[in-house]
Amino acid sequence: MVLKIRTYPDPVLRGKAKEVTNFNGALQRLIDNMIETMYAAPGIGLAANQVGVLQQILVVDINARQQAEYPLIALINPRIITAEGKAEGEEGCLSLPGFNAVIERAEQVFVKGLDREGKPVDIEATGLLAVALQHEIDHLMGKTILDKASPLKRSLYKKRALKKSAAE
Ligand code: NI
């Protein structure tokens, strides 16, 4: 089932997602729906906050953009263990329609988390995968690329988005 993607200024995007402790059928359905929603958008990543759920779940699949070592990733309770180097690149976000900004990220990250069955997984990521994981982990902490953009870009987008939501 394709879920509704929450967009700015929905307060759920500022919420901090809680650790997942129950790997039950409801979690499996939510993950399947998040995957379907990500592909339908289409996007290369989605965090649970973006579908209105404050649980630490993210899905990433960068294969639409480039050949990747990892196919589809569903990661629960992710933690960035090490982050090295710096890389700048243009990013967009499904929750911020019409917004793009050059964002500075770590070039390489080592991430630990759990797979959808609750088994520990380690991911060594560079390039676009590293960017996507950092972007989605930020979502789970209540942060978006709007927080990392320049103050001018941020205020212009906020004004535009607020005017649009007032008009709806
Ligand atoms: Ni995003």
Side-chain angles (χ1 to χ4, degrees):
M1 189 173 83
V2 173
L3 306 170
K4 182 183 183 313
I5 295 179
R6 306 297 186 89
T7 55
Y8 179 86
D10 193 316
V12 77
L13 298 172
R14 303 227 64 94
K16 287 194 171 54
K18 295 201 168 64
E19 263 188 51
V20 173
T21 53
N22 199 342
F23 291 77
N24 56 12
L27 178 76
Q28 303 308 321
R29 277 191 298 280
L30 174 60
I31 293 170
D32 287 340
N33 289 339
M34 284 177 62
I35 292 166
E36 211 180 318
T37 305
M38 170 178 72
Y39 288 141
I44 61 167
L46 193 70
N49 301 44
Q50 292 180 277
V51 293
V53 178
L54 288 175
Q55 291 191 53
Q56 294 178 16
I57 307 161
L58 64 83
V59 294
V60 165
D61 185 350
I62 65 164
N63 279 279
R65 295 264 197 92
Q66 64 179 50
Q67 187 81 35
E69 185 187 342
Y70 293 92
L72 171 65
I73 295 170
L75 198 59
I76 317 296
N77 303 342
R79 299 283 178 274
I80 295 176
I81 305 300
T82 60
E84 278 166 43
K86 273 180 191 166
E88 276 192 338
E90 180 126 346
E91 292 180 35
C93 178
L94 296 173
S95 294
L96 301 166
F99 185 77
N100 280 282
V102 174
I103 305 293
E104 190 183 289
R105 301 279 186 193
E107 206 273 319
Q108 197 170 351
V109 288
F110 178 61
V111 177
K112 275 184 180 292
L114 302 171
D115 70 10
R116 59 189 296 168
E117 271 85 47
K119 291 192 208 86
V121 281
D122 294 347
I123 299 173
E124 192 97 53
T126 56
L128 184 59
L129 181 61
V131 169
L133 287 169
Q134 291 171 81
H135 179 119
E136 303 313 333
I137 290 170
D138 274 354
H139 273 301
L140 298 177
M141 297 189 293
K143 294 204 170 87
T144 69
I145 53 174
L146 210 50
D147 301 306
K148 292 184 180 272
S150 74
L152 178 64
K153 279 204 85 160
R154 184 162 57 225
S155 69
L156 284 173
Y157 184 77
K158 284 186 176 174
K159 259 184 223 151
R160 213 169 67 205
L162 294 173
K163 211 182 277 173
K164 193 173 153 273
S165 72
E168 272 166 5

